[in-house]
Each structure stands twice: as C-alpha cells, then as structure tokens.
C-alpha cells in the first residue's frame, strides 16, 4: 500500500536537503468541528490580494536563503476558499512544489480534476480510524465523504496520503485503518500524536508515554508489511527506520495563519510576527524568538544517545504541550 521507496523518500525527507516548508492556513473556515481541533477562530480568511502577496513573500525567503520550495496549503478547510485553485495554479507557474492538506469531505470528481489540472504534487486527507470512530471525532457522515474524496483523488492519479492523528479515542484503530487504506489503494498512511497543551486537555485526549510506545510498536509491525509509514518523531526507534525525523520548526518550517500570524509550527503555540506588518523573510531572519528556537541546544539528557545528532530531542511541540518548554527531551521517548 505504501508507495515505492523512491516516492516515499521524496515525501518523507521533504524537510531536508535544502527544502523549506511553509504550512499556510489560507482560511480558518471549516465545515467540520473535530473534537481535537486546535482552532479557536473559524472566521479568519485571506483575500485574493493577500494570498498572492504572501506567496511572493515566501518566494523572497526561498531566494534569499537558496531554499527549495515546499508549500502545504491547509486551513481550516482549504476547499472552502474560492481562490484555492487559482493559488495552486499560480504557485505551479512559479515553480513552487505544492500540497493540499484537507479533511477530504468537499472533494468530488470535479474538485479532483481541478486539483490535477493545477499540478498539485500531493493531497493529504485525514482519517482518524474506522467509520464509527472517525465520525465520533469529526462528525456523522464525514468518513464516507472523506473516503469518497480519496477515491476521486486516486482516480486522477494524484499521490494521496492519509494522516491519522492518534489520541485516546482512536489509539487502537491504526491496524484496522491500515488494512482499510491498503484495500482502497492509498499511496501512504502515516500517523502522529495529537498535541494539546496539558492545561487545556480537559478530555485527556493526549496519549500517555506507554500508549504511544504501544502504538509505535503496532506501527513497526505494520511498517514491515509496508502498510504504515514511520517517519515522524520517535517512530523510527521501534520501526528501525533509516529516515530519522528531526523537528525543523523555525528552521526549515514556518506556519502562516489566515490572519497573517507567523508561527514556527502550528502545534507550537508561539507567534513570532505577522506578514501583514513585516515581510516573511525578515521575520525568519531577524525575529529574536525564532533565532532562539533555531539555536536551541540538544537537551542534556539526549547527549549520549546514538540518535542525538539526527533526532535532536524529538518533537518540540509535544515537549512544549506536556512541559511548557521546548528545550527538553520529548517526554514520550522510550530511550529516556
């Protein structure tokens, strides 16, 4: 089910070898209300002029630093934005590599054909388990609509991956979802941990260290059968993956929200400026907070680990959510 080694490598190592990822939330509007959503505002919306201005700012950042482009367009739900397809077409004209991250429910045959015509490099659809579990998290009927969207994308020969956000409500669903994705021909299935600040996790959705360890072991077994990709923080340990994930937030990754706010990572709740006030390249180059984030030393507890140089301490967003700091080791690391 997972794509060829060449294809997987191209997607999984996108943050390295000169790539710079911009995760761009072009709208905060969304047709779903998921239980684990980090969105607290569903109104912010980029105008057409603002979209092309930010695209130009991103090009300037790439040019100044000699980075290669990778643009993740998301929301909210990006398919709710009337300028999505025009933005994708313009990005492709400028030689920018593009992806769309979506809940999949608004993609039919026509939308998939338009995405193909725009030259999108891949589309990621969120599935949080089998139908009953997914619908409990994202809303009744959302699973069927998302799967319909996946079929439409695959029919257009668009590289389609599925993202599984692991949390308390679905932590045992990965094997069943892997079998399902294999059956319908998804190119890639990957998973990550839900990230909710400890003080805000009233429903206790975040996985414990032991729950994450168990899930990672399940993923390792599925990975050996080429049913799940193990490319995210700490997953490489049980999966014995040659591709070791390193958090590049603030270094080779920035996020721009629909109100112009700039963050290192959407799941790391720190704002470092606004593109409506300061150019993106200047924020990246000069913002003291971003500079500190990039220069964060390896956590002392990780110093003797054989993965230290490549892993660099795990996922900063998870560490911050669970400890209030990003300079400590990922608390879910099984080697600590």
């Amino acid at each position: 089910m997972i794509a060829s080694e060449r294809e997987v490598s191209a997607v999984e190592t996108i943050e390295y070898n000169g790539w710079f990822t911009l995760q761009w939330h072009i709208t905060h509007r969304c047709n779903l209300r998921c239980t684990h959503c980090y969105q607290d505002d569903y109104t912010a919306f980029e105008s057409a002029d603002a979209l092309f201005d930010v695209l130009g700012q991103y090009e300037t950042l790439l040019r100044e630093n000699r980075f290669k482009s990778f643009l993740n367009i998301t929301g909210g739900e990006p398919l709710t934005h009337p300028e999505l397809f025009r933005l994708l077409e313009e990005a492709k004209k400028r030689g920018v590599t593009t992806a769309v991250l979506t809940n999949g429910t608004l993609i039919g045959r026509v939308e998939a054909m338009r995405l193909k015509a725009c030259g999108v490099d891949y589309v990621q659809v969120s599935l949080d388990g089998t139908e009953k579990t997914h619908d409990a998290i994202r809303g009744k009927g959302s699973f069927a609509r998302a799967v319909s969207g996946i079929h439409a994308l695959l029919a257009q020969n668009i590289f389609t991956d599925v993202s599984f956000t692991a949390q308390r409500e679905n932590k045992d669903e990965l094997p069943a979802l892997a079998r399902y994705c294999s059956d319908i021909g998804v190119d890639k299935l990957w998973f990550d941990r839900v990230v909710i600040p400890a003080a805000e996790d009233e429903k206790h959705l975040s996985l414990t260290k032991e729950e994450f360890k168990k899930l990672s072991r399940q993923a390792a077994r599925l990975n050996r059968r080429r049913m799940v990709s193990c490319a995210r923080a700490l997953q490489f340990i049980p999966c014995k993956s040659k591709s070791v994930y390193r958090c590049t937030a603030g270094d080779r990754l920035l996020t721009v929200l629909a109100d112009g706010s700039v963050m290192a990572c959407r799941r790391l709740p720190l704002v470092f400026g606004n593109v409506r006030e300061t150019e993106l390249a200047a924020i990246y180059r000069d913002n003291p907070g971003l500079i500190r984030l990039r220069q964060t030393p390896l956590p002392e507890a990780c110093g003797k680990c054989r993965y230290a140089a490549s892993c660099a301490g795990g996922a900063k967003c998870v560490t911050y959510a669970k400890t209030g700091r990003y300079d400590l080791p990922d608390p879910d690391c099984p080697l600590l």
Side-chain angles (χ1 to χ4, degrees), residues 22 36 69 73 118 160 244 258 271 292 313 330:
L22 179 67
H36 61 275
S69 64
I73 297 177
C118 292
T160 305
V244 178
V271 176
R292 281 196 301 273
D330 189 321

Side-chain angles (χ1 to χ4, degrees), residues 270-335:
L270 303 172
V271 176
F272 298 102
N274 192 296
V275 292
R276 297 178 183 176
E277 301 167 358
T278 308
E279 290 284 319
L280 185 63
I283 294 172
Y284 177 74
R285 181 183 63 242
D286 301 328
N287 184 273
L290 272 179
I291 293 171
R292 281 196 301 273
L293 183 63
R294 285 198 291 272
Q295 295 177 348
T296 302
L298 181 72
E300 184 178 351
C302 301
K304 295 182 180 180
C305 178
R306 66 185 183 275
Y307 300 114
S310 47
C311 173
K316 290 183 177 65
C317 58
V318 175
T319 303
Y320 190 88
K322 292 193 173 187
T323 71
R325 294 170 57 177
Y326 57 71
D327 59 341
L328 298 175
D330 189 321
D332 291 338
C333 179
L335 301 179

Side-chain angles (χ1 to χ4, degrees), residues 63-328:
R63 188 166 54 249
E64 287 187 4
N65 296 277
R66 298 184 178 180
F67 291 142
K68 292 183 284 186
S69 64
F70 200 81
L71 180 61
N72 286 334
I73 297 177
T74 186
E77 171 48 51
L79 270 294
T80 65
H81 201 301
E83 298 292 338
L84 171 65
F85 299 108
R86 193 157 71 98
L87 176 62
L88 287 168
E89 289 172 351
E90 184 62 28
K92 184 54 62 174
K93 287 178 184 176
R94 301 186 190 189
V96 175
T97 302
T98 56
V100 172
L101 316 184
T102 171
N103 61 42
T105 62
L106 301 180
I107 298 177
R109 179 173 175 271
V110 171
E111 290 77 18
M113 291 176 66
R114 293 185 71 183
L115 287 167
K116 180 69 173 182
C118 292
V120 70
D121 289 277
Y122 82 88
V123 176
Q124 174 181 296
V125 177
S126 297
L127 289 180
D128 289 325
T130 52
E131 185 167 12
K132 182 179 179 180
T133 301
H134 178 93
D135 282 2
I137 293 171
R138 292 182 177 260
K140 187 175 181 180
S142 59
F143 182 87
R145 295 195 302 273
V147 169
S148 178
I150 289 171
H151 284 301
L153 293 166
L154 293 173
Q156 294 300 317
N157 199 30
I158 296 172
F159 188 99
T160 305
D161 73 30
V162 165
S163 168
F164 173 78
T165 301
Q167 54 182 287
R168 185 196 63 184
E169 296 178 351
N170 66 358
K171 58 184 174 60
D172 299 319
E173 292 269 306
L174 186 60
L177 182 62
R179 290 191 293 271
Y180 184 82
C181 287
S182 180
D183 288 343
I184 65 175
V186 168
D187 291 299
K188 173 183 170 186
L189 167 64
W190 66 279
F191 77 98
D192 214 343
R193 291 164 284 176
V194 72
V195 179
I196 304 173
E200 300 174 16
D201 193 9
E202 297 176 356
K203 298 180 181 178
H204 304 290
L205 297 179
S206 300
L207 298 183
T208 65
K209 181 174 181 175
E210 287 303 313
E211 288 170 339
F212 176 62
K213 181 188 291 188
K214 178 182 177 182
L215 179 63
S216 296
R217 287 173 175 169
Q218 286 182 335
R221 291 191 290 271
L222 293 164
N223 179 260
R224 288 192 287 272
R225 296 163 59 189
R226 298 180 58 78
M227 297 176 73
V228 170
S229 169
C230 293
R232 304 296 290 171
L234 305 182
Q235 296 173 14
F236 65 88
I237 298 171
C239 287
K240 297 180 173 58
S241 172
K242 294 180 181 179
S243 178
V244 178
Y245 175 88
R246 176 173 59 85
C247 176
T248 63
D251 180 15
R252 295 299 181 89
L253 166 68
L254 284 182
T255 296
V256 174
L257 303 185
D259 63 2
S261 298
V262 176
M263 307 174 76
C265 164
R266 182 62 184 89
R267 304 189 304 169
L268 184 63
L270 303 172
V271 176
F272 298 102
N274 192 296
V275 292
R276 297 178 183 176
E277 301 167 358
T278 308
E279 290 284 319
L280 185 63
I283 294 172
Y284 177 74
R285 181 183 63 242
D286 301 328
N287 184 273
L290 272 179
I291 293 171
R292 281 196 301 273
L293 183 63
R294 285 198 291 272
Q295 295 177 348
T296 302
L298 181 72
E300 184 178 351
C302 301
K304 295 182 180 180
C305 178
R306 66 185 183 275
Y307 300 114
S310 47
C311 173
K316 290 183 177 65
C317 58
V318 175
T319 303
Y320 190 88
K322 292 193 173 187
T323 71
R325 294 170 57 177
Y326 57 71
D327 59 341
L328 298 175

Side-chain angles (χ1 to χ4, degrees), residues 33-51:
R33 294 293 184 269
C34 306
T35 57
H36 61 275
C37 184
Y38 44 61
Q39 202 77 11
D40 53 13
D41 163 44
Y42 293 93
T43 61
F45 184 83
E46 289 279 31
S47 67
D49 290 342
L51 289 178

